[in-house]
């Protein structure tokens, strides 16, 4: 029961990133670039503190460091910019779907043996993303926002693939956050305005320090105690929790199109995870 509750808490933290980001750049009136910078900085501070307490400092040297930093930055930037136009639930669904697609394509490129059921599951999931993103002239998703979230999903997928090879994922994440902070500042500051409100600023800090830094730290404590298939299946709950949070805190509504897309994406991924 304790493991289940810790896993659930982690999924809530991941979903809360979508709700906090949507609130910060929408209701909070915060510039999305500024939100991303505050989020990465707050996460870097908290992760550094955790690693100083645990190890006495950060380990800066690791294979694939710069690829991880660039993919993390792409995720952070795309994630914040996407929520100017996307709802929390729809954004989380695109993100989660693209993460799985990215990791599936990586398995193909590695030459992994992929069972027919997994091919079928990912085909269904990709079909769900097409349903969600297909332009129909009837108030579908914003193309620019969807593109930003696709970039974020690819970035997080690549970051996850790199992190899977790390012997100490928490230490790697802490160093990646710290290095990504000035890199993102270099890219985003020229287009950043200082538009923010106190609620927007607090949501960015909470997203970085709590639901990102502490959420990742908790997840890395839980992961070794879970089977890979269970860990992957647990993440199916993230878009659903994000949707519930969007409805509860942001007044978002569920369309038939979104419900169908969610059923296809999550059902397809669940199918691909079956043995």
């Amino acid at each position: 029961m304790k493991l289940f509750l810790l896993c659930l808490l982690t999924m809530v933290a991941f979903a809360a990133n979508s709700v906090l980001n949507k609130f910060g750049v929408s209701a909070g009136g915060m510039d999305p670039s500024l939100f991303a910078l505050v989020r990465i900085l707050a996460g870097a501070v908290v992760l550094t503190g955790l690693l100083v307490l645990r190890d006495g400092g950060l380990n800066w040297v690791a294979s694939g460091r710069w690829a991880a930093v660039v993919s993390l930055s792409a995720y952070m930037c795309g994630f914040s910019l996407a929520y100017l136009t996307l709802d929390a639930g729809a954004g989380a669904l695109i993100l989660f779907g693209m993460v799985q697609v990215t990791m599936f394509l990586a398995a193909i490129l590695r030459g992994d043996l992929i069972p027919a059921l997994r091919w079928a599951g990912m085909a269904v999931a990709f079909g769900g993303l097409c349903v969600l993103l297909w332009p129909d002239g009837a108030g579908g998703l914003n193309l620019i926002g969807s593109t930003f979230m696709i970039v974020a999903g690819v970035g997080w997928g690549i970051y996850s693939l790199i992190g899977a090879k790390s012997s100490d994922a928490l230490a790697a994440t802490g160093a990646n956050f710290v290095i990504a902070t000035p890199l993102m500042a270099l890219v985003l500051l020229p287009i950043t305005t200082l538009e923010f409100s106190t609620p927007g600023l607090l949501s960015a800090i909470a997203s970085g320090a709590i639901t990102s830094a502490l959420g990742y730290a908790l997840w890395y404590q839980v992961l070794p105690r879970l089977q890979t298939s269970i860990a992957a299946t647990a993440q199916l709950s993230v878009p659903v929790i994000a949707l519930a949070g969007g409805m509860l805190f942001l007044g978002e509504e569920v369309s038939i199109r979104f419900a169908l897309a969610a059923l296809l994406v999550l059902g397809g991924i669940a199918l691909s995870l079956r043995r």
Side-chain angles (χ1 to χ4, degrees):
M1 178 59 72
K2 181 180 179 181
L3 182 60
F4 170 78
L5 292 176
L6 289 175
C7 188
L8 177 61
L9 181 61
T10 308
M11 296 305 102
V12 170
F14 288 170
N17 277 323
S18 292
V19 178
L20 287 169
N21 210 310
K22 177 61 179 176
F23 172 80
V25 303
S26 180
M30 192 169 186
D31 179 84
S33 298
L34 182 60
F35 188 102
L37 289 173
V38 172
R39 180 187 177 193
I40 191 78
L41 177 60
V45 170
V46 171
L47 286 168
T48 299
L50 289 173
L51 290 167
V52 167
L53 289 174
R54 194 192 74 172
D55 303 330
L58 277 70
N59 178 18
W60 302 105
V61 180
S63 61
R65 171 71 74 210
W66 282 104
V69 168
V70 171
S71 58
L72 175 64
S73 300
Y75 156 72
M76 286 280 188
C77 295
F79 192 82
S80 291
L81 291 169
Y83 278 123
L84 272 174
T85 54
L86 297 182
D87 287 347
L93 185 62
I94 295 172
L95 176 75
F96 184 81
M98 286 309 302
V99 168
Q100 299 302 315
V101 168
T102 301
M103 298 180 79
F104 186 77
L105 289 176
I108 295 175
L109 294 175
R110 284 198 306 261
D112 293 356
L113 181 62
I114 301 175
L117 193 62
R118 190 166 302 166
W119 277 105
M122 291 310 299
V124 171
F126 188 74
L129 285 177
C130 291
V131 168
L132 185 66
L133 299 173
W134 193 265
D136 61 359
L141 295 183
N142 180 275
L143 178 61
I144 296 176
S146 300
T147 302
F148 278 129
M149 192 57 82
I150 289 172
V151 171
V154 173
W156 189 250
I158 294 173
Y159 186 77
S160 299
L161 289 167
I162 296 171
K165 302 175 182 178
S166 174
S167 59
D168 189 341
L170 179 59
T173 298
N176 292 338
F177 264 64
V178 172
I179 298 172
T181 300
L183 176 64
M184 287 179 57
L186 183 66
V187 174
L188 293 179
L189 280 179
I191 61 171
T192 300
T193 66
L194 296 180
E195 295 179 4
F196 70 92
S197 63
T198 300
L201 182 62
L202 291 176
S203 67
I205 295 172
S207 178
I210 301 175
T211 56
S212 292
L214 296 182
Y216 299 161
L218 180 60
W219 183 233
Y220 293 140
Q221 292 297 318
V222 172
L223 265 179
R225 300 160 63 185
L226 295 175
Q227 294 180 10
T228 302
S229 60
I230 295 176
T233 304
Q235 295 180 72
L236 294 175
S237 64
V238 174
V240 179
I241 298 171
L243 173 62
M247 294 172 61
L248 183 62
F249 298 107
L250 304 175
E252 296 177 358
E253 298 180 355
V254 182
S255 66
I256 295 177
R257 178 173 174 167
F258 175 84
L260 176 60
L263 179 63
L264 290 172
V265 172
L266 301 183
I269 294 171
L271 180 65
S272 72
L273 292 174
R274 290 181 60 85
R275 291 185 179 276

